């Protein structure tokens, strides 16, 4: 009987992408990928270490999996991958002996060997940062697998980070910044598009610092890469995330003005609004620099919407510092945002500081910030009512006879399924905004069929 594997991912989009690459690899090893742990021969937890809560989830999940068995009755092999694997290594097996192997994000191409070792009872741990490029050694997805994943896809172009923000584990879990070569990314994108993908989100922890080999002895910037990908005819939309303000180059800003396929939506975290806190966070820019940058980007692309990340309660953050965060949010205006209480992470500079902010203060600040951000999101969504927006249809809606797609600003848009089909971009007159979603009707005669449907 075919063996079954279940992969559960936590954390960021890069983990989602990695899970697809590991699934492709396991499929090449003869596994069927299943949607639940129940009855699986192999369970792989693809973990996140960014905040304490994320990291602790792994251990409660492992506790639940203790007695897991495959359909044949044999004990399920349990592997821990991702950033907790990288950060804690062998410690995971010490804390939860039921774990059979541990694999860090840079060693996924060694998965088959690790599984063999685990089957032999060796409890292998691989948290190396090998010299070879793992992407070159991972199995390619089949056309069927790509199609099954839908019309939007992630593609990692850059991994790791050299910025060393004082709160962040990423430089330790994902290592130094590495960019994949342009040709490799273009080939992967072409394969995706060939199988029906219409929108690609380029991923990197510091994606706008991308500087991949261009095949002519030089390096391509993210803007160059976007330009190359835009040349793939059936690819309709390009996005990228996550960016650092200091790497927002002139050419990337210009790409937002000139490249129609690049969506007018930018995730550009500022983290905090106080210069004292920004300095302590080692962000290497002031609040005013960020505001000026936003003005420049908006001058290039006036309809661009922004999203951001914020941390409240960074060590030493005073009431006045926090008010500066509220002020920058009011000044910039976000279409969406993620905000978090500062969580001390082992091994990061800020974790050792003695001026940690009390939990109750963090909670109160977070509540106020989130209320403001939610208001802004609601305002942004409401302002879309009455507009005509291009919507990429992604799938059938929850209700009968409905499609769900995405606007350029990533809002889910629900429309009657009488126009267009999955993979088409239709012009939609937006008539209502509810919660995070928009509702509307497709404008007749404005459907831009995807190539696969038109063919
Ligand atoms: N505590 C709280 N939030 C954090 N982030 C990163 N590290 C921490 C931490 N130690 C947030 C940042 C980052 C997002 C991915 O997670 O806002 O942009
Ligand atoms: Fe979590 Fe960061 Fe790892 Fe993504 S890269 S899984 S956010 S720790």
């Amino acid at each position: 009987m075919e063996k079954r594997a279940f992969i559960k991912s936590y954390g960021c989009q890069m983990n989602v992408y990695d899970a697809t690459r590991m699934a492709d690899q396991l499929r090449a090893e003869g596994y069927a990928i299943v949607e639940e742990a129940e009855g699986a021969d192999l369970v792989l937890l693809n973990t996140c270490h960014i905040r304490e809560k994320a990291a602790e989830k792994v251990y409660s999940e492992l506790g639940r999996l203790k007695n897991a068995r495959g359909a044949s009755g044999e004990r399920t092999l349990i592997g821990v991958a991702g950033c907790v694997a990288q950060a804690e290594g062998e410690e995971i097996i010490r804390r939860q002996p039921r774990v059979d192997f541990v694999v860090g994000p840079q060693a996924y191409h060694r998965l088959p060997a690790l599984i063999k070792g685990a089957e032999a009872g060796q409890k292998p741990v691989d948290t190396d940062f090998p010299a070879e490029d793992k992407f070159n050694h991972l199995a390619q997805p089949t056309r069927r697998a790509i199609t099954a994943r839908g019309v939007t896809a992630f593609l990692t172009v850059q991994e790791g980070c050299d910025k060393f923000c004082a709160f962040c584990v990423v430089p330790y879990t994902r290592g130094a910044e590495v960019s994949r070569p342009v040709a490799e990314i273009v080939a992967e994108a072409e394969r995706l598009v060939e199988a029906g993908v219409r929108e690609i989100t380029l991923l990197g922890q510091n994606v706008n610092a991308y500087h991949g080999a261009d095949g002519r002895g030089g390096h391509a910037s993210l803007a160059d890469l976007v330009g190359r990908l835009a040349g793939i005819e059936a690819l309709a939309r390009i996005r990228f995330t996550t960016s650092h303000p200091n790497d927002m180059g002139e050419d990337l800003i210009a790409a937002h003005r000139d490249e129609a396929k690049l969506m007018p939506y930018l995730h550009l975290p500022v983290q905090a609004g106080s210069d004292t806190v920004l300095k302590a966070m080692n962000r290497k820019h002031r609040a005013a620099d960020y505001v000026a940058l936003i003005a420049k980007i908006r001058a290039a692309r006036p309809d661009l919407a922004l999203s951001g990340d914020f941390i409240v309660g960074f060590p030493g953050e005073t009431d006045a510092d926090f008010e500066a965060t509220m002020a920058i949010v009011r000044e910039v205006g976000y279409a969406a945002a993620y905000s978090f209480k500062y969580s001390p992470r082992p091994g990061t500079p800020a974790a050792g500081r003695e001026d940690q902010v009390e939990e109750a203060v963090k909670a109160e600040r977070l509540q106020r910030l989130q209320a403001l951000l939610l208001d802004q999101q609601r305002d942004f969504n409401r302002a879309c009512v009455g507009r005509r927006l291009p919507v990429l249809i992604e799938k059938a809606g929850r209700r009968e006879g409905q499609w769900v797609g995405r606007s350029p600003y990533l809002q889910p848009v629900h429309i009657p399924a009488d126009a267009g089909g999955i993979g088409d971009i239709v012009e939609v007159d937006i008539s209502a905004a509810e919660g995070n979603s928009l509702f509307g009707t497709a404008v007749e005669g404005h459907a831009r069929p995807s190539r696969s449907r038109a063919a």
Side-chain angles (χ1 to χ4, degrees):
M1 202 177 66
E2 198 176 33
K3 286 200 169 185
R4 299 176 191 174
F6 170 63
I7 305 177
K8 180 164 182 171
S9 266
Y10 304 80
C12 66
Q13 293 155 326
M14 185 150 322
N15 264 16
V16 176
Y17 174 80
D18 285 346
T20 64
R21 298 299 307 256
M22 288 192 276
D24 297 332
Q25 184 70 48
L26 291 174
R27 245 187 235 112
E29 296 289 308
Y31 279 90
I33 305 300
V34 294
E35 297 300 317
E36 53 175 22
E38 182 79 31
D41 302 281
L42 168 67
V43 171
L44 199 52
L45 300 184
N46 190 23
T47 62
C48 173
H49 203 245
I50 198 92
R51 286 170 292 274
E52 191 182 356
K53 252 200 204 142
E56 282 305 316
K57 274 188 198 153
V58 184
Y59 290 98
S60 40
E61 185 66 28
L62 287 172
R64 275 194 290 276
L65 287 170
K66 260 201 325 231
N67 301 316
R69 290 191 174 274
S72 61
E74 267 196 51
R75 75 190 269 293
T76 298
L77 218 56
I78 298 178
V80 176
C83 296
V84 176
Q86 190 63 42
E88 299 187 2
E90 277 169 27
E91 178 60 27
I92 297 173
I93 298 177
R94 228 167 288 136
R95 200 167 146 189
Q96 179 47 271
R98 181 62 180 80
V99 172
D100 297 291
F101 67 96
V102 175
V103 57
Q106 305 311 325
Y108 291 156
H109 55 301
R110 296 176 176 168
L111 212 45
L114 287 164
I115 293 171
K116 283 206 180 70
E119 282 168 345
Q122 291 160 1
K123 303 237 173 209
V125 173
D126 191 340
T127 52
D128 289 351
F129 286 89
E132 74 266 17
D133 173 4
K134 74 172 167 200
F135 294 113
N136 267 335
H137 293 79
L138 280 162
Q140 291 299 336
T142 59
R143 196 168 195 275
R144 230 175 96 200
I146 297 172
T147 307
R149 284 172 191 149
V151 295
T152 64
F154 293 133
L155 202 176
T156 292
V157 303
Q158 176 277 335
E159 251 191 299
C161 183
D162 296 338
K163 293 273 187 301
F164 290 92
C165 296
F167 50 80
C168 190
V169 289
V170 167
Y172 313 96
T173 56
R174 293 276 175 170
E177 238 177 80
V178 179
S179 294
R180 296 176 69 189
V182 173
E184 201 180 303
I185 295 164
V186 171
E188 188 168 332
E190 279 170 346
R191 212 158 28 234
L192 292 171
V193 172
E194 182 56 36
V197 167
R198 311 274 353 255
E199 171 181 306
I200 293 179
T201 301
L202 308 175
L203 298 179
Q205 268 97 17
N206 217 334
V207 72
N208 58 346
Y210 175 84
H211 58 278
D214 65 2
R216 293 187 300 258
H219 288 92
S221 68
L222 185 63
D224 299 334
L225 181 65
V226 166
R228 278 296 302 275
L229 296 173
I232 302 176
E233 202 188 321
L235 179 62
R237 292 179 163 187
I238 302 170
R239 305 176 184 277
F240 59 86
T241 196
T242 290
S243 300
H244 190 291
N246 289 358
D247 292 317
M248 208 62 216
E250 296 288 339
D251 60 344
L252 193 53
I253 297 174
H256 272 292
R257 182 190 62 216
D258 302 333
E259 183 45 70
K261 291 185 178 182
L262 187 57
M263 290 296 100
Y265 183 87
L266 180 62
H267 184 63
L268 195 62
V270 69
Q271 313 292 358
S274 144
D275 286 340
T276 320
V277 174
L278 286 170
K279 189 160 203 304
M281 284 177 163
N282 194 30
R283 293 290 291 177
K284 299 199 174 85
H285 65 76
R286 292 163 308 153
D289 302 325
Y290 180 82
V291 172
L293 174 63
I294 298 296
K296 205 160 150 190
I297 298 168
R298 280 185 166 147
R301 182 76 201 224
D303 66 334
L304 183 125
L306 282 164
S307 85
D309 291 337
F310 300 90
I311 296 176
V312 301
F314 186 80
E317 185 186 74
T318 64
D319 284 339
D321 289 328
F322 173 66
E323 291 307 329
T325 297
M326 295 290 279
I328 203 169
V329 169
R330 284 191 201 99
E331 180 157 5
V332 171
Y334 289 89
Y338 305 87
S339 47
F340 315 97
K341 287 188 262 184
Y342 170 70
S343 169
R345 307 306 296 131
T348 58
R353 281 180 57 161
E354 287 179 359
D355 48 356
Q356 299 290 329
V357 173
E358 254 176 73
E359 186 57 31
V361 175
K362 285 187 204 172
E364 199 260 337
R365 288 178 186 167
L366 186 66
Q367 208 193 352
R368 282 189 53 208
L369 176 61
Q370 289 188 334
L372 174 61
L373 290 167
L374 210 61
D375 272 353
Q376 291 194 341
Q377 184 171 19
R378 204 172 307 132
D379 289 349
F380 179 77
N381 288 343
R382 282 189 189 145
C384 291
V385 176
R387 284 180 70 182
R388 182 171 287 185
L389 296 176
V391 171
L392 170 58
I393 300 176
E394 290 184 4
K395 57 189 176 195
R398 228 172 291 148
R399 277 191 228 133
E400 185 90 16
Q402 208 182 41
W403 292 132
V404 191
R406 297 261 181 189
S407 74
Y409 311 116
L410 277 180
Q411 297 141 304
V413 184
H414 305 260
I415 59 171
D418 51 11
I422 293 170
D424 291 345
I425 293 177
V426 292
E427 292 290 326
V428 174
D429 283 334
I430 306 295
S431 55
E434 265 172 57
N436 288 334
S437 295
L438 301 180
F439 296 81
T441 43
V443 184
E444 258 176 76
H446 277 310
R448 273 187 276 152
S450 67
R451 193 181 52 176
S452 52
R453 281 175 41 88

